Structure formats: C-alpha cells, structure tokens
Amino acid sequence: MQKGGSHALPENKISGVDSVDGVNMEDTLIVEAYTPPDPGPYPQDQPKQNSVRFTPTQIGAIISGIQPGLTMVVGPPGTGKTDTAVQILNVLYHNCPSQRTLIITHSNQALNDLFEKIMQRDVPARYLLRLGQGEQELATDLDFSRQGRVNAMLVRRLELLAEVERLARSLQLPEDVDKPTFVKDRFPFEEFFSDTLHPIFMGESFEKDMRAAKGCFRHLKTMFQELEECRAFELLKSTADRANYLMTKQAKIVAMTYTHAALKRKDFLQLGFKYDNLLMEESAQILEIENFIPMLLQRQEDGYARLKCCILIGDHHCLLLDMIPFCSSN
C-alpha cells in the first residue's frame, strides 16, 4: 500500500502552479490544522476512542463494508474479524445516523462478544438493542433487552426533565455581575455548568473560551435531543407498544441470532421492522438458505429493497474442523 503526502509551501500555502514566483492568490490553497469541536464540559460528553490499530487489509475490509453492496470478510480465528465488524458498524452509525443496522450471528456467544465490543465504541446505549436469549450473559450491568431498554428510556426521561428544571433555574442570574472575560461575561448557563470537574472558561483567549462555550451548547443540544426521543415512551402507555417502538424506530443497531430471526420473521413483518444494513457473523457455519432469512425480515418499499449494505463475515474452514470429531466417531 502506497502512502501519499503533500508538502506545503511557505506560510502553509499549496499552489496549483509550478513556479512559486508566479503564484496566483486565487489558485492558492490555504492549509490549516484541524481542531475538533469541544464535545462538552462533562466526562460523558467525551467520545470514546478506538484503541485498535488496524492492518491495511482490515482497513480495506472496513472501507468495503461501508460501501453499498455485498462485502465478504474471510479469515481464520485470531485475524481480527470481529474488530473489523465492530468498526464497520461504528463507521456506519456515525456516517449515516439515520440508517438502521441489523446484526445476525449463529450463536449467542458470538453475538454477545460482538455486542460487548460495540458497547465500548462511541455509540449511545439508547441506540443498541439485543433480542433473543442470552442477553443476560452480557458482561454489563445494563439491560439491553427490549423491556430493559424501555425502562432505561423512562428513567432517563426523568433525569433529563430534572436537568431541564435545573437549567431553567440557572437562567435567573443578575445582570450586573462583573466577569473578567468577554465570553464568560455573556455566558447565560454558568450556574448550570457549575458542577463540571474543571472550570469551563480559563480566560486565556477569546477563541478558547468561545470553543468551550460552543461545547456547552452542544451538550445542551444533545440533552434536549435525547429528551425528545424519550417523548414517545411517555405517550405510549402499554409495555408492548413501547417495546415495539423501541425495536422499530428508536434502536439504530439491533442484534439477534439466526434462530431468533427465523422464529420471529412473521412478527417483524407485521410490525414494519426496517433496516438499511445487514452484518452477519459466523455466516460460513450455516446453510446458504439460512443466510437469506435475515435479508427478508422487512417488506419492500415500492417494489425496491431497502437493504443497502450486506456484510458476510466468517471462516469456511471452521465448519470443516467442527465436523472432524463427528466424522471420526462414525
């Protein structure tokens, strides 16, 4: 794999002309360092970082997996197929937040391993749902079943409403308080963010204080967005309606086994279950016809399939190794 780079001209300018003396300002590209926006003042606002260093082959598989069409990832155990699958899911969620992804595995153990790694990525827990048996074996205190996620949304709604009330009280500030910096002097939510671990405004420069203020507003925007998502669970009164809404509308990543998909296919069709991407782990350990079941859990829209990406992950040699003890004993 070849790695390319660019060399900047003096003053961080890259020109499209050969002669430096003949540089036209209209043809000059200004290169600046990228500073990511401040996510917010609280620890929970910080995005989770990926600690896996992928190989060039894995990067190629990730790039292929987020493109429309069919992607097959084949490799023996220990080659990082699960980490590659998790990164594909993570990129799909962040690049296409409006899309929904379905995860299918052959065994509950493989599904839990994959799901636990997704929980460690920068995907909010309110968008994750684990269907079928084996959910109680997840190594977490959170409940990712349908009822568990509904209860979590209801509890979170009460927490957010309390935060909104605290925000309303914090706006009752006196107008004549003298502040040392321009941004801090006009920031209306200082009381609300008084419980942060570190001071929000350091007073070093206008740019840094403004970046911190934008991070605070980003936190408030996320808070009200999450509260809006909880509204449906307030309006829906029955447990079944709340669980169905969670599965068909709220969750962005839904995980289940092949067996659960086959048993509940009729229910999924009746509820109008929809998804845009499909990732199937252990796809080499089942029959070809079983691979089609997860692709048929939703109805077509105007004669066209909604499915955009299909990723098959597995090792066809594992099935042969599993059959050796059976063959030798007969």
Side-chain angles (χ1 to χ4, degrees):
M1 177 177 291
Q2 298 181 350
K3 297 182 179 179
S6 60
H7 301 280
L9 293 176
E11 300 181 1
N12 293 333
K13 297 178 180 179
I14 299 180
S15 174
V17 298
D18 297 331
S19 176
V20 176
D21 296 334
V23 171
N24 187 345
M25 293 302 295
E26 295 181 355
D27 298 331
T28 302
L29 175 64
I30 306 300
V31 180
E32 299 178 349
Y34 172 72
T35 302
D38 191 318
Y42 295 104
Q44 62 268 26
D45 295 330
Q46 306 302 317
K48 298 178 182 178
Q49 302 296 326
N50 178 24
S51 59
V52 180
R53 297 182 63 88
F54 295 102
T55 65
T57 302
Q58 291 172 328
I59 294 175
I62 294 171
I63 295 176
S64 176
I66 62 177
Q67 306 298 324
L70 175 64
T71 298
M72 299 183 64
V73 181
V74 182
T79 55
K81 297 189 301 296
T82 301
D83 288 330
T84 301
V86 171
Q87 186 62 14
I88 292 175
L89 296 170
N90 187 47
V91 174
L92 284 174
Y93 166 75
H94 287 282
N95 287 5
C96 309
S98 62
Q99 294 186 4
R100 309 179 74 237
T101 301
L102 177 64
I103 304 174
I104 301 290
T105 66
H106 178 62
S107 63
N108 282 299
Q109 181 60 46
L111 186 62
N112 288 341
D113 291 342
L114 184 62
F115 200 86
E116 289 172 1
K117 290 191 174 184
I118 297 174
M119 291 161 46
Q120 300 173 2
R121 298 299 175 88
D122 189 26
V123 180
R126 66 182 187 274
Y127 292 141
L128 299 177
L129 178 62
R130 169 47 164 106
L131 299 179
Q133 301 295 325
E135 185 276 333
Q136 63 275 8
E137 299 176 2
L138 285 172
T140 178
D141 295 332
L142 301 178
D143 188 352
F144 285 94
S145 65
R146 282 195 291 182
Q147 188 56 50
R149 287 294 86 200
V150 169
N151 294 336
M153 293 295 291
L154 295 174
V155 172
R156 183 57 178 163
R157 171 181 170 271
L158 297 178
E159 295 174 351
L160 291 171
L161 289 176
E163 287 290 282
V164 172
E165 292 179 1
R166 188 168 69 89
L167 176 63
R169 292 194 302 268
S170 70
L171 295 177
Q172 304 299 323
L173 297 176
E175 297 293 337
D176 56 350
V177 179
D178 185 18
K179 302 298 179 181
T181 63
F182 180 87
V183 177
K184 188 177 181 181
D185 182 46
R186 291 158 177 80
F187 187 68
F189 307 114
E190 184 177 3
E191 181 182 339
F192 178 79
F193 290 105
S194 61
D195 59 346
T196 57
L197 298 179
H198 306 284
I200 299 176
F201 304 110
M202 305 303 295
E204 298 178 358
S205 66
F206 172 82
E207 289 76 13
K208 290 184 178 180
D209 284 354
M210 181 57 70
R211 181 174 180 269
K214 290 181 179 179
C216 293
F217 279 102
R218 191 170 289 106
H219 172 86
L220 295 176
K221 180 180 179 181
T222 302
M223 183 178 71
F224 280 102
Q225 176 186 352
E226 190 173 350
L227 183 60
E228 178 65 24
E229 293 175 1
C230 295
R231 179 170 175 78
F233 297 91
E234 175 189 4
L235 299 177
L236 298 173
K237 300 305 180 182
S238 70
T239 302
D241 289 341
R242 289 171 173 173
N244 291 336
Y245 177 85
L246 178 79
M247 183 182 66
T248 58
K249 301 292 184 181
Q250 173 69 20
K252 301 295 184 183
I253 298 179
V254 181
M256 67 185 76
T257 62
Y258 287 94
T259 302
H260 188 83
L263 294 176
K264 299 295 183 179
R265 179 178 180 271
K266 182 178 179 180
D267 296 337
F268 292 143
L269 294 177
Q270 291 178 347
L271 292 173
F273 181 65
K274 297 181 182 300
Y275 51 96
D276 304 274
N277 310 300
L278 173 63
L279 188 145
M280 292 189 281
E281 177 72 281
E282 299 180 321
S283 58
Q285 299 187 32
I286 63 173
L287 299 176
E288 290 84 350
I289 189 62
E290 292 179 288
N291 273 311
F292 286 98
I293 296 177
M295 302 181 187
L296 302 174
L297 299 182
Q298 60 182 344
R299 301 185 185 278
Q300 293 186 348
E301 297 180 347
D302 298 328
Y304 294 93
R306 180 189 176 99
L307 189 62
K308 301 175 178 62
C309 298
C310 181
I311 305 101
L312 303 180
I313 299 178
D315 179 14
H316 56 288
H317 294 296
C318 286
L319 183 60
L320 298 177
L321 294 176
D322 293 339
M323 294 176 61
I324 290 178
F326 174 78
C327 295
S328 60
S329 61
N330 289 277

